[in-house]
Amino acid sequence: MRKERLEAFSDGVLAIIITIMVLEIKVPQGYNLSDLKPVAPVFLSYVLSFIYLGIYWNNHHHMMHTVKHVTGNILWANLHLLFWLSLIPFVTGWMGENQFKPVPVSLYGVILLMAAIAYYVLQTVIIKTHGSDSILARAIGKDLKGKISPILYLIAICSSWINDWIAGSIYILVALIWLVPDRRIEIIFHKEES
Amino acid sequence: MRKERLEAFSDGVLAIIITIMVLEIKVPQGYNLSDLKPVAPVFLSYVLSFIYLGIYWNNHHHMMHTVKHVTGNILWANLHLLFWLSLIPFVTGWMGENQFKPVPVSLYGVILLMAAIAYYVLQTVIIKTHGSDSILARAIGKDLKGKISPILYLIAICSSWINDWIAGSIYILVALIWLVPDRRIEIIFHKEES
Amino acid sequence: MRKERLEAFSDGVLAIIITIMVLEIKVPQGYNLSDLKPVAPVFLSYVLSFIYLGIYWNNHHHMMHTVKHVTGNILWANLHLLFWLSLIPFVTGWMGENQFKPVPVSLYGVILLMAAIAYYVLQTVIIKTHGSDSILARAIGKDLKGKISPILYLIAICSSWINDWIAGSIYILVALIWLVPDRRIEIIFHKEES
Amino acid sequence: MRKERLEAFSDGVLAIIITIMVLEIKVPQGYNLSDLKPVAPVFLSYVLSFIYLGIYWNNHHHMMHTVKHVTGNILWANLHLLFWLSLIPFVTGWMGENQFKPVPVSLYGVILLMAAIAYYVLQTVIIKTHGSDSILARAIGKDLKGKISPILYLIAICSSWINDWIAGSIYILVALIWLVPDRRIEIIFHKEES
C-alpha cells in the first residue's frame, strides 16, 4: 500500500508541475495577433518542458512498477527528484520571457542535469534495495540513455555561451532520445511472466 | 494497474486545469458593483471553458472505461490531448479580458479544434490497439458529433473576423451538442453484460 | 468504479480550490509587523472559506458514501456544485482585500447561496436515482440544516447593505451549524449493518 | 474506505502546497546571472520549506498507517493541520523576499509552531480513538522529537529579534532532527506481524 501512496503523491506533484507551468504564459495586454509575438518563446519553452515532464512521468511510472518495498531512502530520493522537477516551471518561464538568452538557457540545462542526476540516484537506491538481480537492474543494463543525457546537458550548458541555438537543439535531441518509452522494463516483465 | 494510473494522472491534470482557470478572474480593485463589470466577460468565458472541460472529463472517462491495455502510443496520445486542454486557461483569460475581440475568440477556437483533433487521435489509437470489433469502435459508430465539431470550430474561427457573435454562439452550440453524455458506450456495455 | 473516479476528481478539485485560495494572500511589500495589517482581513476571510470548503468536503464525502450507481445527471449535478465552489477563492480575495465592504460581502453570500442550492440539487438527484427509501433519503429526513442555510444566506446578503457585521456573523453562524459532521448518514449506515 | 479518501485528500493538498510554493519564486526581469541574486534567498527558503513539507508528508503517512477508523474528530484535526501547512507558501515567500528580516523569520517560526501543535493534536486524537495500547501510542513512546521541536521553534521566534542567523539555524536543526523518518512505527509494525 505504501508504494501506491508514493506513486499517487508523485503523480499529484507531476500533474501540478505540468499544469501550473501554463500560468507562466501571461495573458498579453493587447488583442491583436502581433500581441502574441512575445508569448511565442514562452510557448515554445512550455512545449519543451511539457514533453520533458511527460517523459519523466512515463519513465518514473515504469521504474516504480518494479519497486516491491519502499524504504525511507527511496522515499527521500523520490522527493529529491520531485524537488528539481518542481523548478522546471521557473526556468521555463525565465528562458521563455528572455527569448532564449544564454544565462536562462544554461540554467534550464542545469535544472535538467540536476533532475537527471536525481533520477539516477533514485534508480541506484531502488536497485540497491532490491538487489543487482532485480527486474530494474536487469532492465536498465548498461543504461546508455541515462549516461549520455547528463553529458549532453553539460555540453548544452557550456555551449549556450558560444551560440544561441546549440543548447536548444541539444535539449530537443535529448527529449527525442527519451521520447521512446522505456520498453526495456516491459520486456523483462513479460519474460518474467512467461 | 497501469490504466488506473493513467486515469488518475489525467483526472489530476484536468482537475488542476479546471481550477487554476479561476485564477484568471483577477480580483478587481474597487469594491462597488460597477467594479465587477470588467470581470463579467472573464466570468462568461470561464463558464464556457468550465463546461468544455467538464465535457472532456466526462467523455474521457467513458472512453478510458473501454481501454483494456495501455500502450506507449495511448499514453502519449493522452498527454497530447492534455497538452491542448492545458492551454484553455490561457485562451480563456485572453478572450475574457479583451471582451471577446476577434483574434482572441478565434484563438480560443483554434485550441478547441486542436483538442478535438487530439481527442480523435487518442480515440483512433485506442481502437487500433483494441481492434475494430472493440467496444469503443462499435460504440462510436459513425461518430457524428466527433466529425461535426471540428467543422463547426473551423466556421467559428473564420466567422470571428466578420461578426463578434457568430463564433461565441457556435462554441455554445458545440458545448450543447456534447453536453449529452456519451451514452453510446454505456449502451454497448450493458449489451455486453447481458 | 465510476463512483471512485467521481470521488477522486471531486477530491482533487476541492483540494486545489482550498489550496490555491492561499495564493490570494499576497506577500506584503515591507517586512515589519505593521505591513501585515492589510493582510489581516484577507487572512480572516481565508480562514472562513477554508472552514466552509472543509465542511463541503466532509459532507460531500458522506453523501457520496450512499451513492451506488453514478448517472449522467449525478455527474453534472456534481460538476455544477464544484463550479460554484471554484468561485470561492475569487470572492474570498475580493472580500478580504476590501476590508469586508458591503458589495463583496454580499457577493460572498451569493456564491455560498448558489453552492448550497447546487448541493441541494445534487442531493435531490441522488435521492431520485436511488429511491425515496434509499439511505440518503432516510438519513436526511426533514433536512433542517439544508433548509435553514439558504434562508440565512439570503438574510446575510440583504443585511450587508445595512450593517457591516451582521452578514459576517451569519456566515460564521452557518459554518458553526454545519461544523457538526453529518452524523445522520453514519447512524443509518450502522443500523443497516446491524 | 474512508481512511483512503482522507489520505488521498491530504496527499492532494500537500502535493499542491509543495508545488504552488514554487510560484513564489518570481521570474526575474533581466537575463544575467546577477539578476538571479534577489532570487537566491527566496530559493533558499523554498528549499527549507520543501524539506519541512516532505517531512510532514512522510510522518503523516506513517501516522495514518496506524489509523483503523476515522472519526469526525480525526477528520477535523487533520484539516486543522492542513490549514497551518497551507500557510507555509505565504511565509516562505515573505521570508525569502525580505532577505530573512526578523519579523518574517519569526512569523515563519510561528507557522511551524502552529503546525507542530496541530500535528500533536491530531496524534493525540488518533491515540484517544484507538486506545493507549494502540500501535501509534506505543510507537511514539515519550515522543522526544515532538516535544523538543516546539521549544526550539519558540527559541527561534524570540531569537530572530536578537540575531539574524540563530532562527534560521534552528529551523535547519529541527529539519535535520526530523529528516530521519519515523522508524519507530515501522519497528512496532514489524514486531506486530512477527
Side-chain angles (χ1 to χ4, degrees):
Chain A
M1 196 193 68
R2 278 185 75 192
K3 176 185 155 187
E4 274 69 45
R5 216 182 153 185
L6 187 71
E7 284 189 322
F9 184 75
S10 308
D11 275 5
V13 171
L14 283 169
I16 300 158
I17 293 173
I18 222 170
T19 324
I20 61 166
M21 220 163 41
V22 92
L23 294 175
E24 299 291 348
I25 314 182
K26 299 279 172 0
V27 171
Q29 289 289 332
Y31 47 78
N32 296 313
L33 256 185
S34 57
D35 296 311
L36 280 181
K37 241 184 177 171
V39 178
V42 185
F43 176 73
L44 279 178
S45 55
Y46 173 66
V47 174
L48 186 64
S49 297
F50 193 97
I51 293 170
Y52 264 108
L53 287 166
I55 292 166
Y56 268 106
W57 176 66
N58 195 353
N59 288 337
H60 185 268
H61 184 160
H62 276 85
M63 187 159 66
M64 279 298 144
H65 212 65
T66 71
V67 170
K68 278 171 187 164
H69 38 274
V70 179
T71 61
N73 286 343
I74 291 179
L75 212 141
W76 282 102
N78 189 57
L79 270 174
H80 178 235
L81 171 62
L82 293 179
F83 173 77
W84 291 110
L85 294 178
S86 80
L87 293 172
I88 286 184
F90 172 76
V91 286
T92 302
W94 203 38
M95 183 169 78
E97 278 175 33
N98 291 290
Q99 288 86 34
F100 302 96
K101 285 283 187 320
V103 186
V105 167
S106 60
L107 189 71
Y108 188 84
V110 171
I111 297 299
L112 286 184
L113 178 63
M114 296 311 292
I117 292 170
Y119 189 85
Y120 180 78
V121 169
L122 175 57
Q123 187 175 279
T124 310
V125 169
I126 293 174
I127 291 175
K128 266 203 176 162
T129 317
H130 292 75
S132 61
D133 196 45
S134 62
I135 295 168
L136 185 62
R138 280 179 297 147
I140 279 162
K142 289 182 183 163
D143 194 20
L144 209 69
K145 280 184 190 182
K147 276 169 191 151
I148 277 181
S149 309
I151 297 166
L152 287 172
Y153 292 143
L154 271 174
I155 296 170
I157 293 165
C158 300
S159 73
S160 67
W161 304 91
I162 306 161
N163 182 293
D164 285 14
W165 297 103
I166 304 173
S169 313
I170 292 175
Y171 297 153
I172 295 167
L173 178 73
V174 178
L176 288 175
I177 292 175
W178 281 101
L179 218 54
V180 186
D182 223 323
R183 295 247 163 89
R184 295 169 300 180
I185 293 171
E186 276 179 68
I187 291 160
I188 303 280
F189 247 117
H190 285 150
K191 278 189 192 158
E192 288 292 288
E193 280 162 24
S194 62
Chain B
M1 195 193 70
R2 277 185 77 192
K3 177 184 155 185
E4 274 69 45
R5 215 180 155 187
L6 186 71
E7 284 189 321
F9 185 75
S10 308
D11 275 5
V13 171
L14 283 169
I16 300 157
I17 293 173
I18 222 169
T19 325
I20 62 166
M21 221 163 40
V22 92
L23 294 174
E24 298 290 348
I25 314 182
K26 299 279 171 1
V27 171
Q29 289 289 334
Y31 47 78
N32 296 312
L33 256 185
S34 57
D35 296 312
L36 280 182
K37 240 184 178 173
V39 178
V42 185
F43 176 72
L44 279 179
S45 55
Y46 174 65
V47 174
L48 186 64
S49 296
F50 193 97
I51 293 169
Y52 264 109
L53 286 166
I55 292 166
Y56 268 106
W57 175 66
N58 195 352
N59 288 339
H60 184 268
H61 184 160
H62 276 86
M63 186 160 67
M64 279 297 144
H65 211 65
T66 71
V67 170
K68 279 171 186 164
H69 37 273
V70 179
T71 61
N73 286 342
I74 292 179
L75 212 141
W76 282 102
N78 189 57
L79 271 173
H80 178 235
L81 171 62
L82 294 179
F83 173 77
W84 291 110
L85 293 178
S86 79
L87 292 172
I88 286 185
F90 171 76
V91 286
T92 303
W94 202 39
M95 184 169 78
E97 278 175 33
N98 290 291
Q99 289 86 34
F100 303 96
K101 286 282 188 319
V103 185
V105 166
S106 61
L107 189 72
Y108 188 84
V110 170
I111 298 298
L112 286 183
L113 178 63
M114 296 310 292
I117 293 170
Y119 189 85
Y120 180 78
V121 169
L122 174 58
Q123 188 175 278
T124 310
V125 169
I126 293 174
I127 291 175
K128 267 203 176 162
T129 316
H130 292 75
S132 61
D133 197 46
S134 62
I135 296 168
L136 185 61
R138 280 178 297 148
I140 279 163
K142 289 183 183 162
D143 194 19
L144 210 69
K145 281 185 190 181
K147 276 170 191 150
I148 278 181
S149 309
I151 297 166
L152 287 172
Y153 292 144
L154 272 174
I155 296 171
I157 293 165
C158 300
S159 74
S160 67
W161 304 90
I162 305 160
N163 181 293
D164 285 15
W165 297 104
I166 304 173
S169 313
I170 293 175
Y171 297 152
I172 294 167
L173 178 73
V174 178
L176 289 175
I177 291 175
W178 281 101
L179 218 55
V180 186
D182 223 323
R183 294 245 163 92
R184 296 169 298 180
I185 292 171
E186 277 179 66
I187 292 160
I188 302 280
F189 248 118
H190 285 150
K191 278 188 192 159
E192 289 291 288
E193 279 162 25
S194 62
Chain C
M1 195 193 70
R2 277 186 77 193
K3 176 184 156 188
E4 274 70 45
R5 215 182 154 185
L6 187 71
E7 284 189 321
F9 184 75
S10 308
D11 275 5
V13 171
L14 283 168
I16 300 158
I17 294 173
I18 222 170
T19 324
I20 62 166
M21 221 162 41
V22 92
L23 294 174
E24 297 290 348
I25 314 182
K26 298 280 170 4
V27 170
Q29 289 288 334
Y31 46 78
N32 296 312
L33 256 185
S34 57
D35 296 311
L36 281 182
K37 240 185 179 173
V39 177
V42 185
F43 176 72
L44 280 179
S45 56
Y46 174 65
V47 174
L48 186 64
S49 297
F50 193 97
I51 293 169
Y52 264 108
L53 286 166
I55 291 166
Y56 268 106
W57 176 66
N58 195 354
N59 288 338
H60 185 269
H61 183 161
H62 276 85
M63 186 160 66
M64 279 297 144
H65 211 65
T66 71
V67 170
K68 277 170 188 166
H69 38 273
V70 179
T71 61
N73 287 342
I74 292 179
L75 214 142
W76 282 102
N78 188 57
L79 271 174
H80 179 235
L81 171 62
L82 293 178
F83 173 76
W84 291 110
L85 294 178
S86 79
L87 292 172
I88 287 185
F90 172 76
V91 286
T92 303
W94 201 39
M95 184 169 78
E97 278 175 31
N98 291 291
Q99 289 87 35
F100 303 95
K101 286 282 186 321
V103 185
V105 167
S106 60
L107 189 72
Y108 189 84
V110 170
I111 298 298
L112 286 183
L113 178 63
M114 296 310 292
I117 292 170
Y119 190 85
Y120 180 78
V121 169
L122 175 57
Q123 187 176 278
T124 310
V125 169
I126 293 175
I127 291 174
K128 267 203 175 162
T129 316
H130 291 74
S132 62
D133 197 46
S134 62
I135 296 168
L136 185 61
R138 279 180 296 148
I140 280 163
K142 290 183 183 162
D143 193 20
L144 211 68
K145 281 185 190 180
K147 276 170 191 151
I148 278 181
S149 309
I151 297 166
L152 287 171
Y153 292 143
L154 271 174
I155 296 172
I157 293 165
C158 299
S159 73
S160 67
W161 304 89
I162 305 159
N163 182 293
D164 286 14
W165 297 103
I166 304 173
S169 314
I170 293 174
Y171 297 152
I172 295 167
L173 178 72
V174 178
L176 288 175
I177 291 174
W178 281 102
L179 219 54
V180 186
D182 222 323
R183 295 246 162 91
R184 296 169 299 180
I185 293 171
E186 276 179 67
I187 291 159
I188 302 278
F189 248 119
H190 286 149
K191 278 189 192 160
E192 290 289 287
E193 279 162 24
S194 62
Chain D
M1 196 194 68
R2 277 185 75 193
K3 176 185 156 188
E4 274 70 45
R5 217 183 151 183
L6 187 71
E7 284 189 322
F9 184 75
S10 308
D11 274 6
V13 172
L14 284 169
I16 300 159
I17 293 172
I18 222 170
T19 323
I20 60 166
M21 222 164 39
V22 92
L23 293 175
E24 298 291 348
I25 314 182
K26 299 279 171 0
V27 170
Q29 289 288 333
Y31 47 79
N32 296 312
L33 256 184
S34 57
D35 295 311
L36 280 181
K37 240 184 179 173
V39 178
V42 185
F43 176 73
L44 280 178
S45 55
Y46 174 65
V47 174
L48 186 64
S49 297
F50 192 97
I51 293 170
Y52 264 108
L53 286 166
I55 292 166
Y56 268 105
W57 176 67
N58 195 355
N59 288 338
H60 184 268
H61 184 160
H62 276 85
M63 187 159 66
M64 278 297 143
H65 212 65
T66 70
V67 170
K68 277 170 187 165
H69 37 274
V70 179
T71 61
N73 287 342
I74 292 179
L75 213 142
W76 282 102
N78 189 57
L79 270 174
H80 179 234
L81 171 62
L82 292 179
F83 173 77
W84 291 110
L85 294 178
S86 80
L87 292 172
I88 286 185
F90 172 76
V91 287
T92 302
W94 202 38
M95 184 169 78
E97 278 175 31
N98 291 291
Q99 288 86 34
F100 302 96
K101 287 281 186 322
V103 185
V105 167
S106 60
L107 188 72
Y108 188 84
V110 170
I111 298 298
L112 286 183
L113 177 63
M114 296 311 292
I117 292 170
Y119 189 85
Y120 179 79
V121 168
L122 175 58
Q123 187 175 277
T124 310
V125 170
I126 293 174
I127 290 174
K128 266 203 175 162
T129 316
H130 292 74
S132 61
D133 196 46
S134 62
I135 296 168
L136 185 62
R138 279 179 297 148
I140 279 163
K142 289 182 183 164
D143 194 19
L144 210 68
K145 282 184 190 181
K147 276 171 190 150
I148 278 180
S149 309
I151 298 166
L152 287 172
Y153 291 143
L154 271 174
I155 296 171
I157 293 165
C158 300
S159 73
S160 68
W161 304 90
I162 307 160
N163 183 293
D164 285 13
W165 297 102
I166 304 173
S169 313
I170 292 174
Y171 296 152
I172 295 167
L173 178 73
V174 177
L176 288 175
I177 292 174
W178 280 101
L179 219 54
V180 186
D182 222 322
R183 295 247 163 89
R184 295 169 301 181
I185 293 171
E186 276 180 67
I187 291 160
I188 302 279
F189 248 118
H190 286 148
K191 277 188 193 159
E192 289 290 287
E193 280 164 23
S194 61

